[in-house]
Amino acid sequence: MSTKDLPGLIGAAALLLAAGAATTHAAPATDHEWASPEFAEATVHDPSVIKVDDTYYVFGSHLAAAKSDDLMQWQQVADGANAANPLFDDVQTELRETFEWAQTDTLWAADVIQLEDGRFYMYYNASRGDSPRSAMGVAVADEIEGPYRNEGIFLRSGMWGQPSEDGTIYDARIHPNVVDPDAFFDAEGKLWMVYGSYSGGLFIFEMDPETGFPLPGQGYGKHLMGGNHSRIEAPYILYSPETQYYYLFTSFGGLSADGGYNVRVARSRQPDGPYFDAQGNNMAEVKSDPALPLFDDASIEPYAMKILGNHLFTRELGEDGEGLGTGYVSPGHNSAYYDDATGQYFLISHSRFPGTGERHNIRVNELLMNDADWPVAAPYRYADKAPQAQPGQRKVKRPDVVGDYKVILKDKTITADIETSRFATLTNNGRIQGDIEGRWWFGGNDRISVELSDGDYEGVLSYQWNETAERFDLTFSALSDAGLTLWGSRLPDRPTEAVLQAILDDIEFSSIPLQNDIDLPVSATRNATIEWASSAPQWIATDGQVNRPEHGLGDQVVTLRATVHYDGETQSREYPVTVREQAPDGLLAHYSFDGNLNDTTGQQAPGQVSGARIDWAGGQIDFVSGVSAEAAYFDGQSGVRLPGGLIASHRYSVSFWLNPSALNAFSTTFFGARNPDSWISFLPMGHGFVNGHTMLWSGTLWYDAGTGMNIPQDAWSHVAWVVDEGALSIYINGEERFSGAGFPHVFSEGTGIFSLGVNWWDLPYEGAMDELRVYEKPLSAAEVMELSQTP
């Protein structure tokens, strides 16, 4: 049997590395001990949940699916709308009519439900994307993992100038884009479907539980929310037997990392609405202003209850763990699940993450019902802890709540900005002091009430897994009548001296000599402050500005002194730091490939031959006639590993000659990486987004710099690119072929990995290379032209 909706700055210092402080902290104030959870990631955009026996499944866009027994360890089941996808025998053949109507080769957010006949009904949909030309249909399978067999299309949209499903001429301002379905049973056992995205908004109609198709005569159904192309989509309705409300979850904003996607909720006593927020606003009236440009967000921002959006619990100096902290970017297109055995609610969404571009994974957050009968999302991803499975077994006491917190207050703007954590103390006398001010009350039964200047918040206390600190921390999640969310995550109790010591322990400089300005932190955990002094401000100023010695003066050692102030006490520590002298004429390395892999400047180690991957042994590099004396020849099975840390700046240039024997998509010539998630690669033949043209691209923070041409096969071409604090220029044979801004800062810590002809994934380069030069300065156009004419 299955159940689905059944009633019942980021900104780490350029060379300042965060290292976990080796200090102790107080145990969570609870009677329970919980083991550290284990997670396994899977990728399903727009996940829609169904539980079959003891297994949770999520289905989403691009025919992706994953499963889990515990909502933490996910296993990928399927991905890609292609013949290899196991959910269909051949989806492109089976759903040919859908793809032809929608003018696409992929699918959008799918939803699966089990009906009374025991079979599984997949509501598939496809859209052109740049218009609401879409189709929705149903396919049926005997088993949850398929194969599914198409039963046919039952809704279409985007038929410009033609009669629509309700008989009137299609108008995208008032008619839906027929995507993002959610089928569910109401408390009376009736089957419904809610759907829609942008365009005319969200709609609902009643379904036939025997056929899985809509009951006849409903057209597009009843309008619930949105219109005039407002950025509202991904409806999902969950009934709570506890509150007897139907909760309509939606996503506002755009789904990309810079789109400001966020999850909001409204509620109704009836499955088909009307739905309201806590201020009594009817969601059917929430739509964009037709007098304003398309996708007007300002008109819709004030409405519905915002429970999840861009946020980051920033890891501050002196706190446990490593990295930036824990947070989400553009979380949304959620589904929700109620477990009638435990009384738990779950929010299942996809999310991107701070500093990682468009990479996304499934995320599950526990939903907790506050005293106003609104669901609030727990601040951290869900981690099972059996003692808290039953609400009555939670054992938060008032003294547990008193202490220091990282707090996040979410506003309702639709923006790419990330709400970062602030510091506050909940005092024993009910005051809130720090970066936010107010009062708090403990309500018993894990309830907390908060009064701030912008309103009153009703919330729930719970222990949640802090992924950065790797422990369960006491948290609260509260919601105001205005639909604003307040989160708190309690910090462990520490004596003042231990806090000061942890901050100083956490300051660590790379042993690699500095080439860039550094971000000397002036604040740390619990609003501690840091002052800096320098023994040689001519080389490193107290604001972190680095002035490198001229060539011939040698590297210079500078002593930086950090003084930390916290809670009326002070501690200091000194740190020796080396500043690298400038390279002669800015030239870091010159590999001429004249019978060897040596750097002719003598500053760098020789290149080392590798196999077909950057870290594989083997391989062979031969030397052939080049543009100047000899050149290195890559046989399509070999590469060259260059010295680590070759580039350690945001201002650099790379110049070399190429003579490809073959043009293969994705084959790299020059590759540099901070790690497998952050890299740059120069391709003679690029990917489809630049029409296969020669390109420089960057991974994770994706950047596609196409040149609009391909360098020729079996002929020499000079290539060069110049990076100047994010400004990028690419030259082919001395002619600028690309110019753009915002190129990622991949190399800043002096720990980069570099190779020629190979990376960690793709077919190696086949062809010759000559006269590789790497500069620690941006070359001028005239200097690039000279290199292209004088090997």
Side-chain angles (χ1 to χ4, degrees):
M1 294 295 292
S2 71
T3 54
K4 177 183 183 288
D5 289 345
L6 290 179
L9 225 129
I10 298 170
L15 283 168
L16 189 62
L17 303 180
T23 57
T24 61
H25 59 79
T30 173
D31 298 334
H32 307 302
E33 293 293 334
W34 300 301
S36 298
E38 295 183 3
F39 299 98
E41 308 291 9
T43 299
V44 177
H45 211 266
D46 314 323
S48 181
V49 66
I50 176 174
K51 189 177 183 183
V52 181
D53 297 325
D54 293 325
T55 302
Y56 300 90
Y57 286 85
V58 289
F59 293 84
S61 290
H62 313 299
L63 207 56
K67 62 183 178 181
S68 172
D69 295 333
D70 58 9
L71 296 174
M72 298 186 299
Q73 298 187 60
W74 291 94
Q75 177 185 345
Q76 201 82 37
V77 172
D79 194 14
N82 52 54
N85 193 302
L87 297 176
F88 285 82
D89 288 336
D90 185 343
V91 68
Q92 289 292 328
T93 300
E94 192 85 12
L95 304 186
R96 178 180 291 114
E97 183 182 9
T98 300
F99 293 123
E100 289 177 351
W101 172 266
Q103 300 172 4
T104 184
D105 61 0
T106 193
L107 295 170
W108 283 27
D111 181 69
V112 176
I113 190 169
Q114 188 176 27
L115 297 185
E116 295 170 357
D117 61 5
R119 297 190 299 168
F120 297 91
Y121 288 69
M122 175 187 286
Y123 292 99
Y124 61 81
N125 54 109
S127 178
R128 176 170 162 167
D130 60 355
S131 82
R133 187 173 178 88
S134 305
M136 183 187 298
V138 63
V140 182
D142 296 325
E143 304 293 337
I144 183 66
E145 296 188 27
Y148 287 83
R149 299 171 298 281
N150 186 27
E151 297 291 319
I153 296 171
F154 57 80
L155 277 185
R156 290 180 171 86
S157 61
M159 57 285 284
W160 303 110
Q162 300 174 28
S164 67
E165 299 286 358
D166 66 5
T168 63
I169 298 301
Y170 184 81
D171 183 343
R173 296 169 299 176
I174 61 173
H175 288 131
N177 183 14
V178 297
V179 295
D180 297 356
D182 164 41
F184 67 98
F185 289 102
D186 69 14
E188 307 302 324
K190 290 183 179 180
L191 181 63
W192 300 82
M193 175 180 286
V194 62
Y195 69 95
S197 171
Y198 288 43
S199 299
L202 313 181
F203 289 72
I204 189 170
F205 47 44
E206 192 173 348
M207 305 287 285
D208 184 338
E210 294 186 1
T211 67
F213 281 79
L215 292 175
Q218 298 181 88
Y220 284 121
K222 179 182 178 181
H223 174 260
L224 293 181
M225 183 189 293
N228 297 326
H229 304 290
S230 55
R231 299 204 298 171
I232 301 173
E233 64 179 6
Y236 198 93
I237 293 176
L238 177 71
Y239 177 72
S240 167
E242 175 186 355
T243 67
Q244 298 183 354
Y245 277 110
Y246 294 89
Y247 294 95
L248 170 61
F249 296 89
T250 61
S251 294
F252 281 33
L255 60 84
S256 62
D258 61 358
Y261 224 35
N262 63 93
V263 175
R264 306 198 183 201
V265 64
R267 70 188 182 188
S268 174
R269 293 295 186 187
Q270 303 298 326
D272 59 345
Y275 283 84
F276 298 91
D277 60 19
Q279 294 181 312
N281 297 301
N282 187 341
M283 295 300 100
E285 303 301 321
V286 178
K287 58 189 68 177
S288 293
D289 185 341
L292 296 177
L294 288 178
F295 313 132
D296 155 45
D297 287 337
S299 297
I300 64 174
E301 282 178 343
Y303 303 106
M305 316 293 277
K306 182 178 176 181
I307 62 171
L308 194 65
N310 290 355
H311 69 274
L312 175 65
F313 281 102
T314 308
R315 182 198 171 276
E316 305 284 357
L317 279 173
E319 294 175 356
D320 294 330
E322 298 180 354
L324 294 174
T326 299
Y328 293 172
V329 171
S330 286
H333 202 126
N334 72 282
S335 54
Y337 181 79
Y338 173 71
D339 188 330
D340 57 4
T342 66
Q344 288 176 290
Y345 301 84
F346 299 100
L347 184 81
I348 301 96
S349 63
H350 70 253
S351 183
R352 291 155 175 82
F353 306 96
T356 61
E358 297 298 332
R359 178 177 67 83
H360 58 85
N361 290 118
I362 301 163
R363 280 296 178 267
V364 179
N365 290 68
E366 191 173 3
L367 286 174
L368 306 162
M369 206 65 70
N370 71 9
D371 280 346
D373 290 341
W374 285 104
V376 295
Y380 296 117
R381 73 186 297 183
Y382 171 70
D384 180 41
K385 44 197 185 302
Q388 287 201 91
Q390 297 291 338
Q393 293 180 1
R394 296 173 182 151
K395 299 201 180 287
V396 178
K397 301 179 178 66
R398 188 184 189 281
D400 303 337
V401 186
V402 176
D404 294 338
Y405 284 78
K406 303 174 82 69
V407 294
I408 292 177
L409 181 58
K410 295 177 178 292
D411 65 26
K412 297 181 80 171
T413 57
I414 299 172
T415 175
D417 295 341
I418 296 175
E419 298 281 1
T420 55
S421 54
R422 293 177 271 177
F423 175 73
T425 300
L426 274 60
T427 68
N428 190 48
N429 65 359
R431 298 286 182 181
I432 303 175
Q433 300 173 340
D435 294 333
I436 64 172
E437 302 282 339
R439 295 185 61 85
W440 69 277
W441 294 266
F442 179 70
N445 196 28
D446 301 340
R447 297 300 194 264
I448 187 171
S449 298
V450 173
E451 179 187 273
L452 302 180
S453 60
D454 63 359
D456 298 336
Y457 293 75
E458 296 298 329
V460 184
L461 294 147
S462 65
Y463 286 94
Q464 301 290 330
W465 176 250
N466 181 335
E467 208 163 356
T468 298
E470 296 186 331
R471 63 171 180 258
F472 283 99
D473 282 341
L474 179 63
T475 72
F476 65 81
S477 181
L479 193 61
S480 74
D481 282 347
L484 302 175
T485 288
L486 174 66
W487 280 347
S489 178
R490 194 181 186 284
L491 292 164
D493 296 326
R494 281 180 177 166
T496 298
E497 185 175 346
V499 172
L500 292 167
Q501 186 74 25
I503 294 169
L504 291 169
D505 288 346
D506 212 9
I507 297 174
E508 183 175 294
F509 293 90
S510 171
S511 61
I512 298 174
L514 296 179
Q515 297 184 58
N516 306 295
D517 293 345
I518 53 174
D519 181 12
L520 296 177
V522 296
S523 63
T525 184
R526 304 169 202 252
N527 280 357
T529 60
I530 307 173
E531 292 181 304
W532 290 91
S534 172
S535 66
Q538 69 272 30
W539 306 131
I540 306 178
T542 55
D543 63 358
Q545 181 177 342
V546 173
N547 299 298
R548 293 172 58 193
E550 294 182 359
H551 181 68
L553 293 179
D555 294 348
Q556 300 292 316
V557 178
V558 179
T559 299
L560 295 175
R561 180 180 179 86
T563 301
V564 182
H565 305 274
Y566 170 68
D567 197 25
E569 298 189 18
T570 297
Q571 282 191 24
S572 298
R573 187 175 298 176
E574 293 183 345
Y575 305 86
V577 182
T578 302
V579 181
R580 177 176 290 175
E581 71 170 337
Q582 299 177 33
D585 300 320
L587 183 62
L588 288 170
H590 174 209
Y591 292 90
S592 64
F593 303 122
D594 290 339
N596 58 57
L597 300 177
N598 295 335
D599 166 31
T600 66
T601 74
Q603 299 177 94
Q604 308 293 336
Q608 300 296 317
V609 178
S610 75
R613 296 291 183 267
I614 198 170
D615 49 3
W616 286 9
Q620 178 176 328
I621 297 296
D622 295 321
F623 297 94
V624 297
S625 178
V627 290
S628 175
E630 291 184 297
Y633 186 79
F634 297 75
D635 61 6
Q637 302 177 55
S638 309
V640 172
R641 183 76 174 261
L642 296 177
L646 179 60
I647 301 171
S649 170
H650 308 320
R651 304 178 78 241
Y652 60 93
S653 304
V654 179
S655 163
F656 55 101
W657 292 79
L658 289 175
N659 187 343
S661 300
L663 292 175
N664 297 308
F666 303 107
S667 290
T668 188
T669 55
F670 184 99
F671 182 80
R674 182 167 59 221
N675 54 54
D677 289 327
S678 183
W679 45 265
I680 68 168
S681 184
F682 190 85
L683 313 181
M685 184 176 181
H687 54 58
F689 285 105
V690 296
N691 298 315
H693 291 146
T694 298
M695 70 180 300
L696 179 70
W697 70 322
S698 179
T700 301
L701 296 176
W702 296 104
Y703 195 103
D704 299 328
T707 60
M709 61 163 292
N710 281 101
I711 62 172
Q713 186 173 324
D714 298 322
W716 285 104
S717 299
H718 180 262
V719 301
W721 65 92
V722 176
V723 178
D724 188 359
E725 296 290 349
L728 171 67
S729 295
I730 304 176
Y731 299 86
I732 305 293
N733 295 323
E735 178 185 355
E736 187 178 63
R737 300 291 307 192
F738 177 89
S739 178
F743 192 67
H745 292 340
V746 174
F747 311 116
S748 59
E749 298 174 355
T751 56
I753 297 168
F754 297 89
S755 64
L756 304 177
V758 293
N759 56 28
W760 283 296
W761 316 281
D762 300 306
L763 188 68
Y765 170 67
E766 185 177 354
M769 181 184 300
D770 204 1
E771 299 297 322
L772 168 66
R773 293 178 171 90
V774 180
Y775 296 83
E776 63 175 3
K777 67 176 184 179
L779 295 176
S780 67
E783 288 173 316
V784 173
M785 178 61 76
E786 182 178 356
L787 288 170
S788 72
Q789 296 175 344
T790 310

